[in-house]
Amino acid sequence: MAVKITTRAENYSQWYIDIILQAKLADYSPVKGSMVIRPRGFAIWEKMKSVLDSMFKETGHSNAYFPLLIPESFIKKEAEHIKGFAPELAVVTHGGGEKLEEPLVIRPTSETIIWAMYKKWIQSYRDLPLLINQWANIVRWEKRTRLFLRTTEFLWQEGHTAHASKAEAQEETLRMLFVYQNFAESFMAMPVLTGEKTESEKFAGAVKTYSIEAMMQDRRALQAGTSHNLGQNFAKAFDVTYQTQNGERDHVWATSWGVSTRLVGALIMAHSDDRGLIIPPKLAPIKAVIIPIFNNQNKSRVLSYAKVLFERIKTSYSTEIDDDEQNKPGWKFAEWELQGVPVRIEIGPRDMENDQVVLARRDTGKKITIPAKDLEETLGNLLEEIQNNLYHRALLLRKKNTYQIKEYAEFKEIFDGPGGFIESAWCGNPECEAKIKEETKATIRVLPLGRDELKNHNCIYCGSTADKIAVFSKAY
RNA sequence: CGGGCUGUAGCGCAGUGGCUAGCGCGCUCGGUUCGGGACCGAGAGGCCGGGAGUUCAAGUCUCCCCAGCCCGACCA
C-alpha cells in the first residue's frame, strides 16, 4: 500500500493535505507559505478559469493586465484600504542593486494602481461604464497558511469597474456576485449562500462587501468569492471624475470582485472522500479513464478492443486510457480514484466477448455493465448524474447542518459540538458580533440576501430588537 | 507572531555517545502474474534539515538558525 490518506474522521486537516499531496495537485515550495501548483492542480484551475472568463466576457468585461509593482504611496491613498492591508504587504526596497527612492509594494490587490490609471482614462460619462478584469498573482503576507486556502502568493481574478451612478455600481456588484454563485453551483456543484458582509468582515475600502459562502464537509464555512461595492472611495482617493450628460462633474462609482485558487481548495473539501479527490465532471480535466484488463494471452486483443472504444469517446469526453503493463488493474482503480476522475471504464476479456463495458462512478463507487454500443450516451448521462448528485449531496449536508436558533445557550451548544451554520436574528451591533466570536469562535458569514425584514425578533446575543438574519459559522 | 510536535534514502519510519547507519514502500533490471493497491530474484539510492559547540569519538548531548504540521491572535 503505497498511498495512504488520513481519513476525514481521524483528522480533517491532514486528510485535506494528504489529498493535495497524494493526488499531486500541489507541493510546498522552499519559501514559507507559498506553494507550487502542479499540473494536475493547475489543470483544475485552468478549467475554472476558462468557464469564469467566458462568464465575464458574456457580462461585458474585457481582460487587461496591470503591473505587479505598485508605488507605496498609492496604497496609502485610501485610508481604510491601507489600514486593512498594511500588515500583509510585501515591500520591495531595492532594485538593480540600489536602494529605491520610493519602496514598491507587491500588489495585495490592484485597486490603487487601477484607479491611478482610470483617472487618465475616464473623462466623460461616455467612457463609462469601464469594465475590466485581470487574471493575476498577488501577494499577501499571511501568518498562517494552508495549501490553496491561504498562501502568501496566490492566483486570482480581479474585476474592476467604473460606473456613472451609484445604482449602476450596486447592480454590477450583485450581478457579479450571482455570476460567482452560478459558477459555484452549476460547475463546482457546490451550493453557496449569498449575502452581505458585516462591517467587521468587509473589504478594506469598500462600502459594501458581498460574498458567496460554502459549507465544507467539516461543517465550517469557506468564503469562496467576494464582490464589493466601492462607492466613490477610490474615485475620491485618486480623484477620478467624469463629466455628466448635463455638464456637471462627479466622482465615478466603482466595484471590484474576485475569486482565487482558493476555489480549488473549496472543491476538494466540498466533495472528496477518504479514497481521494472527487472532481465534478464539468470541471474535471479528465472525465473518464479506460482501464483495460488483460493477461499475456489476451493482451493484444483486449487492448485493441479498448482502443477502439477509446478513439470513439476521447474527444467528446476527454478520456485517458491506462494501458500500462506494470500495474495491476486494482492498483489502477485506486490510483485513478485518488485523482478524482469521475468515471472509470473497465474493459476486460469478459466485456470484449459480450460487447459490453463496465462503468464505475467515482461519487458512489457503483458499477454498471452496459452494451458497448451505448457507451457515448450512457457516459454522457452518467457524467450529468454525477454532477447533480455531488451538488445534492453537498446541499443535503448543508441543510442537515443548518439551524434556526433563538436561544443563545443552544447557539453555544452547537458550536461547542458539531458546528454548522446557524441562522439567528442579530441587532446589527458590532459588539454583539464581537462577543459571539469571542465566546464561540463563530463569525457572521453573511447577512443572507432575499430575506424579508424581521418583525418581533430579538438579537440572539443581547435580546434587543433585531431586524436582520445573520448566518453564523466557524470559518476558514 | 506566541505555544506544542517533527526534520535520518523519493515517501513512511527504526536507530543505548563507539567500529561499515538500517527497515518497509517506491525506483531500476530480469522473470512470473493481471476483474479492487500481486510475487520472486538482482540492484541503485545517505553531507542523518543547516551552522556552531562539548567529546578521544556526535544521527545520538548543548546552543542558534531554517522548514513543515497542529493549536491560538490576523486574513481571500
Side-chain angles (χ1 to χ4, degrees), chain A residues 150-151 223 262 275 331 337 344 350-351:
Chain A
R150 183 170 297 105
T151 47
Q223 178 172 306
R262 170 179 262 200
R275 289 167 167 262
W331 189 92
E337 278 168 0
R344 177 179 67 244
R350 276 202 314 261
D351 305 305

PDB file of all heavy atoms in Angstrom, chain A residues 150-151 223 262 275 331 337 344 350-351, chain B residues 34-37 68-69 71 75-76:
ATOM      1  N   ARG A 150      -5.026  29.411   1.846  1.00  0.00           N
ATOM      2  CA  ARG A 150      -4.382  30.665   2.227  1.00  0.00           C
ATOM      3  C   ARG A 150      -2.886  30.515   2.058  1.00  0.00           C
ATOM      4  O   ARG A 150      -2.230  29.869   2.861  1.00  0.00           O
ATOM      5  CB  ARG A 150      -4.717  31.019   3.683  1.00  0.00           C
ATOM      6  CG  ARG A 150      -4.149  32.345   4.123  1.00  0.00           C
ATOM      7  CD  ARG A 150      -4.684  32.793   5.456  1.00  0.00           C
ATOM      8  NE  ARG A 150      -6.112  33.017   5.392  1.00  0.00           N
ATOM      9  CZ  ARG A 150      -7.021  32.204   5.895  1.00  0.00           C
ATOM     10  NH1 ARG A 150      -6.658  31.142   6.557  1.00  0.00           N
ATOM     11  NH2 ARG A 150      -8.306  32.463   5.763  1.00  0.00           N
ATOM     12  N   THR A 151      -2.365  31.091   0.990  1.00  0.00           N
ATOM     13  CA  THR A 151      -0.923  31.044   0.769  1.00  0.00           C
ATOM     14  C   THR A 151      -0.448  32.477   0.559  1.00  0.00           C
ATOM     15  O   THR A 151      -1.248  33.363   0.272  1.00  0.00           O
ATOM     16  CB  THR A 151      -0.568  30.188  -0.461  1.00  0.00           C
ATOM     17  OG1 THR A 151      -1.422  30.550  -1.545  1.00  0.00           O
ATOM     18  CG2 THR A 151      -0.738  28.718  -0.158  1.00  0.00           C
ATOM     19  N   GLN A 223     -15.392  31.167   2.636  1.00  0.00           N
ATOM     20  CA  GLN A 223     -15.723  32.273   1.740  1.00  0.00           C
ATOM     21  C   GLN A 223     -15.089  31.973   0.396  1.00  0.00           C
ATOM     22  O   GLN A 223     -13.879  31.852   0.284  1.00  0.00           O
ATOM     23  CB  GLN A 223     -15.170  33.570   2.326  1.00  0.00           C
ATOM     24  CG  GLN A 223     -15.421  34.781   1.460  1.00  0.00           C
ATOM     25  CD  GLN A 223     -15.012  36.055   2.185  1.00  0.00           C
ATOM     26  OE1 GLN A 223     -15.448  36.327   3.286  1.00  0.00           O
ATOM     27  NE2 GLN A 223     -14.151  36.828   1.571  1.00  0.00           N
ATOM     28  N   ARG A 262      -8.176  29.604  -4.224  1.00  0.00           N
ATOM     29  CA  ARG A 262      -8.844  29.034  -3.061  1.00  0.00           C
ATOM     30  C   ARG A 262     -10.005  28.134  -3.486  1.00  0.00           C
ATOM     31  O   ARG A 262     -10.352  27.172  -2.799  1.00  0.00           O
ATOM     32  CB  ARG A 262      -9.371  30.166  -2.182  1.00  0.00           C
ATOM     33  CG  ARG A 262     -10.279  29.693  -1.090  1.00  0.00           C
ATOM     34  CD  ARG A 262     -10.769  30.821  -0.237  1.00  0.00           C
ATOM     35  NE  ARG A 262      -9.977  30.912   0.969  1.00  0.00           N
ATOM     36  CZ  ARG A 262     -10.390  31.525   2.059  1.00  0.00           C
ATOM     37  NH1 ARG A 262     -11.560  32.132   2.078  1.00  0.00           N
ATOM     38  NH2 ARG A 262      -9.642  31.557   3.116  1.00  0.00           N
ATOM     39  N   ARG A 275     -11.048   8.097  -0.099  1.00  0.00           N
ATOM     40  CA  ARG A 275     -10.258   7.441  -1.142  1.00  0.00           C
ATOM     41  C   ARG A 275      -9.471   8.453  -1.967  1.00  0.00           C
ATOM     42  O   ARG A 275      -8.633   8.078  -2.775  1.00  0.00           O
ATOM     43  CB  ARG A 275     -11.170   6.683  -2.106  1.00  0.00           C
ATOM     44  CG  ARG A 275     -11.789   5.466  -1.501  1.00  0.00           C
ATOM     45  CD  ARG A 275     -12.920   4.961  -2.394  1.00  0.00           C
ATOM     46  NE  ARG A 275     -13.299   3.632  -1.971  1.00  0.00           N
ATOM     47  CZ  ARG A 275     -12.869   2.517  -2.559  1.00  0.00           C
ATOM     48  NH1 ARG A 275     -12.090   2.581  -3.613  1.00  0.00           N
ATOM     49  NH2 ARG A 275     -13.231   1.357  -2.103  1.00  0.00           N
ATOM     50  N   TRP A 331      -4.634  -1.781  -8.729  1.00  0.00           N
ATOM     51  CA  TRP A 331      -3.775  -0.639  -8.428  1.00  0.00           C
ATOM     52  C   TRP A 331      -4.243   0.589  -9.197  1.00  0.00           C
ATOM     53  O   TRP A 331      -4.328   1.688  -8.669  1.00  0.00           O
ATOM     54  CB  TRP A 331      -2.328  -0.974  -8.798  1.00  0.00           C
ATOM     55  CG  TRP A 331      -1.345   0.034  -8.328  1.00  0.00           C
ATOM     56  CD1 TRP A 331      -0.662   0.024  -7.153  1.00  0.00           C
ATOM     57  CD2 TRP A 331      -0.934   1.220  -9.026  1.00  0.00           C
ATOM     58  NE1 TRP A 331       0.146   1.140  -7.072  1.00  0.00           N
ATOM     59  CE2 TRP A 331      -0.007   1.890  -8.202  1.00  0.00           C
ATOM     60  CE3 TRP A 331      -1.274   1.786 -10.253  1.00  0.00           C
ATOM     61  CZ2 TRP A 331       0.595   3.093  -8.569  1.00  0.00           C
ATOM     62  CZ3 TRP A 331      -0.687   2.981 -10.625  1.00  0.00           C
ATOM     63  CH2 TRP A 331       0.241   3.626  -9.789  1.00  0.00           C
ATOM     64  N   GLU A 337      -8.961   6.709  -8.781  1.00  0.00           N
ATOM     65  CA  GLU A 337      -9.928   7.222  -7.802  1.00  0.00           C
ATOM     66  C   GLU A 337      -9.286   8.334  -6.997  1.00  0.00           C
ATOM     67  O   GLU A 337      -9.907   9.363  -6.738  1.00  0.00           O
ATOM     68  CB  GLU A 337     -10.404   6.092  -6.888  1.00  0.00           C
ATOM     69  CG  GLU A 337     -11.505   5.275  -7.534  1.00  0.00           C
ATOM     70  CD  GLU A 337     -11.813   3.981  -6.801  1.00  0.00           C
ATOM     71  OE1 GLU A 337     -11.163   3.698  -5.778  1.00  0.00           O
ATOM     72  OE2 GLU A 337     -12.693   3.249  -7.276  1.00  0.00           O
ATOM     73  N   ARG A 344     -14.778   5.614 -14.354  1.00  0.00           N
ATOM     74  CA  ARG A 344     -13.782   4.647 -14.791  1.00  0.00           C
ATOM     75  C   ARG A 344     -14.462   3.644 -15.699  1.00  0.00           C
ATOM     76  O   ARG A 344     -15.562   3.164 -15.403  1.00  0.00           O
ATOM     77  CB  ARG A 344     -13.190   3.917 -13.590  1.00  0.00           C
ATOM     78  CG  ARG A 344     -12.188   2.843 -13.988  1.00  0.00           C
ATOM     79  CD  ARG A 344     -11.581   2.143 -12.798  1.00  0.00           C
ATOM     80  NE  ARG A 344     -12.543   1.346 -12.068  1.00  0.00           N
ATOM     81  CZ  ARG A 344     -12.917   1.579 -10.818  1.00  0.00           C
ATOM     82  NH1 ARG A 344     -12.420   2.597 -10.152  1.00  0.00           N
ATOM     83  NH2 ARG A 344     -13.798   0.806 -10.233  1.00  0.00           N
ATOM     84  N   ARG A 350     -13.978 -10.515 -20.583  1.00  0.00           N
ATOM     85  CA  ARG A 350     -15.422 -10.800 -20.454  1.00  0.00           C
ATOM     86  C   ARG A 350     -16.261  -9.801 -21.227  1.00  0.00           C
ATOM     87  O   ARG A 350     -17.231 -10.133 -21.879  1.00  0.00           O
ATOM     88  CB  ARG A 350     -15.824 -10.726 -18.977  1.00  0.00           C
ATOM     89  CG  ARG A 350     -15.564 -11.986 -18.213  1.00  0.00           C
ATOM     90  CD  ARG A 350     -16.424 -12.095 -16.956  1.00  0.00           C
ATOM     91  NE  ARG A 350     -16.490 -10.908 -16.126  1.00  0.00           N
ATOM     92  CZ  ARG A 350     -15.770 -10.723 -15.026  1.00  0.00           C
ATOM     93  NH1 ARG A 350     -14.897 -11.625 -14.645  1.00  0.00           N
ATOM     94  NH2 ARG A 350     -15.907  -9.632 -14.320  1.00  0.00           N
ATOM     95  N   ASP A 351     -15.841  -8.520 -21.088  1.00  0.00           N
ATOM     96  CA  ASP A 351     -16.601  -7.450 -21.749  1.00  0.00           C
ATOM     97  C   ASP A 351     -16.449  -7.552 -23.258  1.00  0.00           C
ATOM     98  O   ASP A 351     -17.392  -7.346 -24.011  1.00  0.00           O
ATOM     99  CB  ASP A 351     -16.109  -6.092 -21.266  1.00  0.00           C
ATOM    100  CG  ASP A 351     -16.172  -5.996 -19.756  1.00  0.00           C
ATOM    101  OD1 ASP A 351     -17.258  -6.227 -19.212  1.00  0.00           O
ATOM    102  OD2 ASP A 351     -15.132  -5.708 -19.139  1.00  0.00           O
TER     103      ASP A 351
ATOM    104  P     C B  34      -3.131 -14.244 -13.943  1.00  0.00           P
ATOM    105  OP1   C B  34      -4.109 -15.230 -13.428  1.00  0.00           O
ATOM    106  OP2   C B  34      -2.661 -14.321 -15.340  1.00  0.00           O
ATOM    107  O5'   C B  34      -3.706 -12.786 -13.691  1.00  0.00           O
ATOM    108  C5'   C B  34      -3.915 -12.294 -12.358  1.00  0.00           C
ATOM    109  C4'   C B  34      -4.018 -10.786 -12.400  1.00  0.00           C
ATOM    110  O4'   C B  34      -2.807 -10.263 -12.992  1.00  0.00           O
ATOM    111  C3'   C B  34      -5.175 -10.283 -13.258  1.00  0.00           C
ATOM    112  O3'   C B  34      -5.724  -9.117 -12.672  1.00  0.00           O
ATOM    113  C2'   C B  34      -4.500  -9.917 -14.558  1.00  0.00           C
ATOM    114  O2'   C B  34      -5.160  -8.878 -15.265  1.00  0.00           O
ATOM    115  C1'   C B  34      -3.141  -9.431 -14.079  1.00  0.00           C
ATOM    116  N1    C B  34      -2.107  -9.564 -15.112  1.00  0.00           N
ATOM    117  C2    C B  34      -1.444  -8.408 -15.563  1.00  0.00           C
ATOM    118  O2    C B  34      -1.723  -7.309 -15.058  1.00  0.00           O
ATOM    119  N3    C B  34      -0.513  -8.518 -16.533  1.00  0.00           N
ATOM    120  C4    C B  34      -0.244  -9.705 -17.048  1.00  0.00           C
ATOM    121  N4    C B  34       0.668  -9.769 -18.005  1.00  0.00           N
ATOM    122  C5    C B  34      -0.906 -10.900 -16.612  1.00  0.00           C
ATOM    123  C6    C B  34      -1.823 -10.779 -15.644  1.00  0.00           C
ATOM    124  P     G B  35      -6.776  -9.221 -11.415  1.00  0.00           P
ATOM    125  OP1   G B  35      -6.005  -9.109 -10.176  1.00  0.00           O
ATOM    126  OP2   G B  35      -7.710 -10.373 -11.617  1.00  0.00           O
ATOM    127  O5'   G B  35      -7.567  -7.860 -11.596  1.00  0.00           O
ATOM    128  C5'   G B  35      -8.548  -7.758 -12.610  1.00  0.00           C
ATOM    129  C4'   G B  35      -9.854  -7.357 -12.007  1.00  0.00           C
ATOM    130  O4'   G B  35     -10.781  -7.179 -13.071  1.00  0.00           O
ATOM    131  C3'   G B  35     -10.467  -8.409 -11.075  1.00  0.00           C
ATOM    132  O3'   G B  35     -11.253  -7.721 -10.129  1.00  0.00           O
ATOM    133  C2'   G B  35     -11.342  -9.218 -12.031  1.00  0.00           C
ATOM    134  O2'   G B  35     -12.471  -9.780 -11.406  1.00  0.00           O
ATOM    135  C1'   G B  35     -11.813  -8.148 -12.987  1.00  0.00           C
ATOM    136  N9    G B  35     -12.050  -8.593 -14.354  1.00  0.00           N
ATOM    137  C8    G B  35     -11.579  -9.685 -15.018  1.00  0.00           C
ATOM    138  N7    G B  35     -12.007  -9.759 -16.254  1.00  0.00           N
ATOM    139  C5    G B  35     -12.811  -8.618 -16.392  1.00  0.00           C
ATOM    140  C6    G B  35     -13.553  -8.163 -17.479  1.00  0.00           C
ATOM    141  O6    G B  35     -13.654  -8.653 -18.601  1.00  0.00           O
ATOM    142  N1    G B  35     -14.228  -6.979 -17.185  1.00  0.00           N
ATOM    143  C2    G B  35     -14.181  -6.337 -15.979  1.00  0.00           C
ATOM    144  N2    G B  35     -14.874  -5.221 -15.860  1.00  0.00           N
ATOM    145  N3    G B  35     -13.481  -6.757 -14.937  1.00  0.00           N
ATOM    146  C4    G B  35     -12.847  -7.896 -15.230  1.00  0.00           C
ATOM    147  P     G B  36     -10.864  -7.607  -8.584  1.00  0.00           P
ATOM    148  OP1   G B  36      -9.941  -8.690  -8.160  1.00  0.00           O
ATOM    149  OP2   G B  36     -12.110  -7.361  -7.845  1.00  0.00           O
ATOM    150  O5'   G B  36     -10.020  -6.245  -8.663  1.00  0.00           O
ATOM    151  C5'   G B  36      -8.655  -6.242  -8.262  1.00  0.00           C
ATOM    152  C4'   G B  36      -8.483  -5.355  -7.053  1.00  0.00           C
ATOM    153  O4'   G B  36      -9.177  -4.100  -7.293  1.00  0.00           O
ATOM    154  C3'   G B  36      -9.068  -5.893  -5.743  1.00  0.00           C
ATOM    155  O3'   G B  36      -8.300  -5.369  -4.671  1.00  0.00           O
ATOM    156  C2'   G B  36     -10.425  -5.241  -5.681  1.00  0.00           C
ATOM    157  O2'   G B  36     -10.909  -5.098  -4.364  1.00  0.00           O
ATOM    158  C1'   G B  36     -10.115  -3.879  -6.267  1.00  0.00           C
ATOM    159  N9    G B  36     -11.245  -3.175  -6.855  1.00  0.00           N
ATOM    160  C8    G B  36     -12.219  -3.672  -7.653  1.00  0.00           C
ATOM    161  N7    G B  36     -13.082  -2.761  -8.027  1.00  0.00           N
ATOM    162  C5    G B  36     -12.634  -1.596  -7.415  1.00  0.00           C
ATOM    163  C6    G B  36     -13.148  -0.285  -7.439  1.00  0.00           C
ATOM    164  O6    G B  36     -14.147   0.130  -8.030  1.00  0.00           O
ATOM    165  N1    G B  36     -12.396   0.584  -6.676  1.00  0.00           N
ATOM    166  C2    G B  36     -11.267   0.235  -5.981  1.00  0.00           C
ATOM    167  N2    G B  36     -10.659   1.192  -5.311  1.00  0.00           N
ATOM    168  N3    G B  36     -10.759  -0.987  -5.951  1.00  0.00           N
ATOM    169  C4    G B  36     -11.499  -1.841  -6.687  1.00  0.00           C
ATOM    170  P     G B  37      -6.809  -6.019  -4.378  1.00  0.00           P
ATOM    171  OP1   G B  37      -6.527  -7.355  -4.935  1.00  0.00           O
ATOM    172  OP2   G B  37      -6.713  -5.799  -2.930  1.00  0.00           O
ATOM    173  O5'   G B  37      -5.902  -4.998  -5.176  1.00  0.00           O
ATOM    174  C5'   G B  37      -5.744  -3.684  -4.711  1.00  0.00           C
ATOM    175  C4'   G B  37      -4.459  -3.144  -5.269  1.00  0.00           C
ATOM    176  O4'   G B  37      -4.475  -1.712  -5.167  1.00  0.00           O
ATOM    177  C3'   G B  37      -3.195  -3.618  -4.541  1.00  0.00           C
ATOM    178  O3'   G B  37      -2.176  -3.593  -5.506  1.00  0.00           O
ATOM    179  C2'   G B  37      -2.955  -2.478  -3.561  1.00  0.00           C
ATOM    180  O2'   G B  37      -1.566  -2.363  -3.256  1.00  0.00           O
ATOM    181  C1'   G B  37      -3.364  -1.282  -4.394  1.00  0.00           C
ATOM    182  N9    G B  37      -3.772  -0.044  -3.747  1.00  0.00           N
ATOM    183  C8    G B  37      -4.428   0.206  -2.581  1.00  0.00           C
ATOM    184  N7    G B  37      -4.628   1.503  -2.376  1.00  0.00           N
ATOM    185  C5    G B  37      -4.041   2.096  -3.476  1.00  0.00           C
ATOM    186  C6    G B  37      -3.931   3.455  -3.837  1.00  0.00           C
ATOM    187  O6    G B  37      -4.332   4.444  -3.245  1.00  0.00           O
ATOM    188  N1    G B  37      -3.265   3.628  -5.032  1.00  0.00           N
ATOM    189  C2    G B  37      -2.770   2.609  -5.787  1.00  0.00           C
ATOM    190  N2    G B  37      -2.151   2.938  -6.908  1.00  0.00           N
ATOM    191  N3    G B  37      -2.870   1.321  -5.491  1.00  0.00           N
ATOM    192  C4    G B  37      -3.508   1.163  -4.320  1.00  0.00           C
ATOM    193  P     G B  68       7.404  26.463   5.784  1.00  0.00           P
ATOM    194  OP1   G B  68       6.732  26.929   4.554  1.00  0.00           O
ATOM    195  OP2   G B  68       7.397  27.319   6.990  1.00  0.00           O
ATOM    196  O5'   G B  68       6.826  25.046   6.183  1.00  0.00           O
ATOM    197  C5'   G B  68       6.695  24.025   5.210  1.00  0.00           C
ATOM    198  C4'   G B  68       6.322  22.730   5.864  1.00  0.00           C
ATOM    199  O4'   G B  68       7.377  22.336   6.777  1.00  0.00           O
ATOM    200  C3'   G B  68       5.087  22.779   6.755  1.00  0.00           C
ATOM    201  O3'   G B  68       3.889  22.711   6.010  1.00  0.00           O
ATOM    202  C2'   G B  68       5.305  21.564   7.640  1.00  0.00           C
ATOM    203  O2'   G B  68       5.039  20.369   6.948  1.00  0.00           O
ATOM    204  C1'   G B  68       6.813  21.659   7.893  1.00  0.00           C
ATOM    205  N9    G B  68       7.113  22.419   9.116  1.00  0.00           N
ATOM    206  C8    G B  68       7.554  23.722   9.205  1.00  0.00           C
ATOM    207  N7    G B  68       7.731  24.118  10.441  1.00  0.00           N
ATOM    208  C5    G B  68       7.387  23.009  11.211  1.00  0.00           C
ATOM    209  C6    G B  68       7.385  22.831  12.615  1.00  0.00           C
ATOM    210  O6    G B  68       7.691  23.640  13.494  1.00  0.00           O
ATOM    211  N1    G B  68       6.962  21.547  12.975  1.00  0.00           N
ATOM    212  C2    G B  68       6.592  20.571  12.081  1.00  0.00           C
ATOM    213  N2    G B  68       6.208  19.418  12.604  1.00  0.00           N
ATOM    214  N3    G B  68       6.597  20.726  10.764  1.00  0.00           N
ATOM    215  C4    G B  68       7.010  21.952  10.406  1.00  0.00           C
ATOM    216  P     C B  69       2.615  23.495   6.526  1.00  0.00           P
ATOM    217  OP1   C B  69       1.654  23.536   5.412  1.00  0.00           O
ATOM    218  OP2   C B  69       3.019  24.749   7.194  1.00  0.00           O
ATOM    219  O5'   C B  69       2.067  22.500   7.645  1.00  0.00           O
ATOM    220  C5'   C B  69       1.647  21.192   7.290  1.00  0.00           C
ATOM    221  C4'   C B  69       1.455  20.367   8.535  1.00  0.00           C
ATOM    222  O4'   C B  69       2.706  20.303   9.258  1.00  0.00           O
ATOM    223  C3'   C B  69       0.479  20.946   9.560  1.00  0.00           C
ATOM    224  O3'   C B  69      -0.860  20.665   9.228  1.00  0.00           O
ATOM    225  C2'   C B  69       0.931  20.265  10.833  1.00  0.00           C
ATOM    226  O2'   C B  69       0.504  18.921  10.880  1.00  0.00           O
ATOM    227  C1'   C B  69       2.447  20.289  10.657  1.00  0.00           C
ATOM    228  N1    C B  69       3.077  21.485  11.263  1.00  0.00           N
ATOM    229  C2    C B  69       3.280  21.506  12.650  1.00  0.00           C
ATOM    230  O2    C B  69       2.919  20.534  13.323  1.00  0.00           O
ATOM    231  N3    C B  69       3.861  22.605  13.214  1.00  0.00           N
ATOM    232  C4    C B  69       4.229  23.633  12.448  1.00  0.00           C
ATOM    233  N4    C B  69       4.796  24.681  13.051  1.00  0.00           N
ATOM    234  C5    C B  69       4.027  23.634  11.042  1.00  0.00           C
ATOM    235  C6    C B  69       3.455  22.554  10.494  1.00  0.00           C
ATOM    236  P     C B  71      -5.497  22.605  13.878  1.00  0.00           P
ATOM    237  OP1   C B  71      -6.898  22.149  13.788  1.00  0.00           O
ATOM    238  OP2   C B  71      -4.953  23.496  12.839  1.00  0.00           O
ATOM    239  O5'   C B  71      -5.281  23.296  15.293  1.00  0.00           O
ATOM    240  C5'   C B  71      -5.583  22.612  16.497  1.00  0.00           C
ATOM    241  C4'   C B  71      -5.186  23.439  17.685  1.00  0.00           C
ATOM    242  O4'   C B  71      -3.745  23.499  17.793  1.00  0.00           O
ATOM    243  C3'   C B  71      -5.586  24.909  17.635  1.00  0.00           C
ATOM    244  O3'   C B  71      -6.946  25.128  17.928  1.00  0.00           O
ATOM    245  C2'   C B  71      -4.637  25.515  18.660  1.00  0.00           C
ATOM    246  O2'   C B  71      -5.047  25.237  19.977  1.00  0.00           O
ATOM    247  C1'   C B  71      -3.360  24.741  18.353  1.00  0.00           C
ATOM    248  N1    C B  71      -2.512  25.477  17.382  1.00  0.00           N
ATOM    249  C2    C B  71      -1.684  26.506  17.859  1.00  0.00           C
ATOM    250  O2    C B  71      -1.681  26.766  19.077  1.00  0.00           O
ATOM    251  N3    C B  71      -0.910  27.197  16.993  1.00  0.00           N
ATOM    252  C4    C B  71      -0.951  26.902  15.694  1.00  0.00           C
ATOM    253  N4    C B  71      -0.183  27.609  14.870  1.00  0.00           N
ATOM    254  C5    C B  71      -1.788  25.879  15.167  1.00  0.00           C
ATOM    255  C6    C B  71      -2.545  25.193  16.048  1.00  0.00           C
ATOM    256  P     C B  75      -8.494  40.869  10.089  1.00  0.00           P
ATOM    257  OP1   C B  75      -9.032  42.208   9.837  1.00  0.00           O
ATOM    258  OP2   C B  75      -9.395  39.760  10.481  1.00  0.00           O
ATOM    259  O5'   C B  75      -7.675  40.418   8.789  1.00  0.00           O
ATOM    260  C5'   C B  75      -8.317  40.342   7.530  1.00  0.00           C
ATOM    261  C4'   C B  75      -7.563  39.423   6.629  1.00  0.00           C
ATOM    262  O4'   C B  75      -6.839  38.458   7.424  1.00  0.00           O
ATOM    263  C3'   C B  75      -8.438  38.570   5.714  1.00  0.00           C
ATOM    264  O3'   C B  75      -8.764  39.248   4.519  1.00  0.00           O
ATOM    265  C2'   C B  75      -7.567  37.353   5.463  1.00  0.00           C
ATOM    266  O2'   C B  75      -6.618  37.603   4.444  1.00  0.00           O
ATOM    267  C1'   C B  75      -6.829  37.199   6.794  1.00  0.00           C
ATOM    268  N1    C B  75      -7.438  36.200   7.693  1.00  0.00           N
ATOM    269  C2    C B  75      -7.449  34.836   7.320  1.00  0.00           C
ATOM    270  O2    C B  75      -6.962  34.493   6.234  1.00  0.00           O
ATOM    271  N3    C B  75      -8.004  33.934   8.153  1.00  0.00           N
ATOM    272  C4    C B  75      -8.528  34.324   9.318  1.00  0.00           C
ATOM    273  N4    C B  75      -9.062  33.389  10.111  1.00  0.00           N
ATOM    274  C5    C B  75      -8.546  35.691   9.715  1.00  0.00           C
ATOM    275  C6    C B  75      -7.993  36.590   8.885  1.00  0.00           C
ATOM    276  P     A B  76     -10.262  39.013   3.865  1.00  0.00           P
ATOM    277  OP1   A B  76     -10.728  40.339   3.581  1.00  0.00           O
ATOM    278  OP2   A B  76     -11.082  38.115   4.669  1.00  0.00           O
ATOM    279  O5'   A B  76      -9.936  38.246   2.525  1.00  0.00           O
ATOM    280  C5'   A B  76     -10.790  38.479   1.408  1.00  0.00           C
ATOM    281  C4'   A B  76     -10.966  37.148   0.694  1.00  0.00           C
ATOM    282  O4'   A B  76      -9.806  36.880  -0.088  1.00  0.00           O
ATOM    283  C3'   A B  76     -11.157  36.002   1.661  1.00  0.00           C
ATOM    284  O3'   A B  76     -12.514  35.557   1.659  1.00  0.00           O
ATOM    285  C2'   A B  76     -10.220  34.912   1.198  1.00  0.00           C
ATOM    286  O2'   A B  76     -10.916  33.795   0.726  1.00  0.00           O
ATOM    287  C1'   A B  76      -9.449  35.538   0.026  1.00  0.00           C
ATOM    288  N9    A B  76      -8.039  35.399   0.343  1.00  0.00           N
ATOM    289  C8    A B  76      -7.254  36.188   1.128  1.00  0.00           C
ATOM    290  N7    A B  76      -6.026  35.767   1.217  1.00  0.00           N
ATOM    291  C5    A B  76      -5.998  34.614   0.448  1.00  0.00           C
ATOM    292  C6    A B  76      -4.989  33.686   0.145  1.00  0.00           C
ATOM    293  N6    A B  76      -3.752  33.807   0.604  1.00  0.00           N
ATOM    294  N1    A B  76      -5.306  32.654  -0.670  1.00  0.00           N
ATOM    295  C2    A B  76      -6.560  32.547  -1.128  1.00  0.00           C
ATOM    296  N3    A B  76      -7.593  33.356  -0.902  1.00  0.00           N
ATOM    297  C4    A B  76      -7.240  34.383  -0.101  1.00  0.00           C
TER     298        A B  76
END
